[in-house]
Structures are given as structure tokens and as C-alpha cells.
Amino acid sequence: MLLRSLTTIFISCLIGIFSWIYSPAALALTPIPLSNIAYQECPPELAEGNVTSGGASRAANCFIVTGTAKNMTSKTVYDADIFGRIYDANNNTVMQNRTRVGSISEVPPGESNFEMRITVPANQPTPLKLKQFKASGFTSKVRY
């Protein structure tokens, strides 16, 4: 019985020491600051569309949001989600209950430009106000 207990303790210690020496890379989110956020209307070939909510189709306006992403790491960041708040001219939120507005598939080290398409219901007046934009992603590809 004593030998069995000592063997269990010894194996547990080996596992503990091995886990200190070898640990897999952590897939932590990498923050990406965004700057120079602006928008423009979509070109005509992208502008056609509707917003569908609850089965009803409504007219929509298309906009391209542009900006600069700054990756301060030495590795490419993948699948960076863009978060921000978008308000219309009356300070009403354009995307209720949602702060994730898009994504960037790859952000190389340093500064790079990005753009994404958003669709806004046609009844919301412009100009739009883009606030609190930021992004975060992973330094390795996320496998599903």
C-alpha cells in the first residue's frame, strides 16, 4: 500500500514538473488600436440591399468604414474582431445591442489600412457618428 501511494505521488510530481517545463502557447487576444476612422457611401454595385428583421424587408443604405489598424506585436494577428458604436444624426444607435461591427482577416505588424461594409436602415439620418472603435484578434489562426 505504501509503494502504491509513493508511486502515485512520484507520478503526480513528474506531471507537475513537466507542465512547468512544457506548456502550450496561449491563444490570448491581442488588442489592435484603430485610428482615422471614417466612412463613405458604398459604390453603386455594392449599395443595393435590404435590412431584414423579423421577416420584414426594409430599405437600407450601405457604407464603407475605413481606418488604420496598428499591430504593436511582431506577429501577424488573425481574425481581429472590430468593436465600436455607430450613431445616427439624432444620436440613436444604428446597431442596437451590438458592438461587434465587423472583422479584419489579417493585420500584419505595424500600421495597415482596413475597410469594412456596414448596412444601416434607410430611415436613420446621416451623418453617422463612429465612436469607441477598437479591435482584437489572435496571433495564430483559429481552427474551428
Side-chain angles (χ1 to χ4, degrees):
M1 190 62 134
L2 179 63
L3 181 61
R4 187 181 219 177
S5 298
L6 290 175
T7 304
T8 303
I9 292 171
F10 179 73
I11 291 174
S12 298
C13 289
L14 280 178
I15 291 172
I17 291 170
F18 182 73
S19 67
W20 284 344
I21 295 170
Y22 174 77
S23 61
L27 291 177
L29 286 174
T30 302
I32 306 290
L34 303 178
S35 59
N36 304 323
I37 306 297
Y39 75 94
Q40 61 192 24
E41 291 189 18
C42 290
E45 60 271 8
L46 292 177
E48 295 179 13
N50 291 327
V51 173
T52 304
S53 176
S57 184
R58 299 185 177 127
N61 294 326
C62 173
F63 298 100
I64 301 289
V65 175
T66 60
T68 303
K70 186 174 183 180
N71 179 357
M72 296 181 282
T73 68
S74 60
K75 296 181 179 181
T76 299
V77 173
Y78 299 95
D79 302 319
D81 291 320
I82 300 173
F83 300 93
R85 300 197 181 271
I86 304 174
Y87 300 97
D88 66 10
N90 298 328
N91 288 325
N92 294 319
T93 185
V94 169
M95 298 179 182
Q96 290 185 350
N97 302 322
R98 189 172 137 196
T99 58
R100 183 189 177 278
V101 294
S103 67
I104 307 170
S105 58
E106 289 185 11
V107 183
E111 289 190 1
S112 59
N113 295 326
F114 73 91
E115 66 178 39
M116 66 177 178
R117 178 182 186 262
I118 61 168
T119 305
V120 176
N123 64 351
Q124 294 199 273
T126 56
L128 299 178
K129 299 170 188 167
L130 309 174
K131 298 182 178 184
Q132 300 174 338
F133 270 68
K134 63 181 178 179
S136 59
F138 300 94
T139 55
S140 63
K141 291 192 177 188
V142 177
R143 307 278 184 219
Y144 296 103

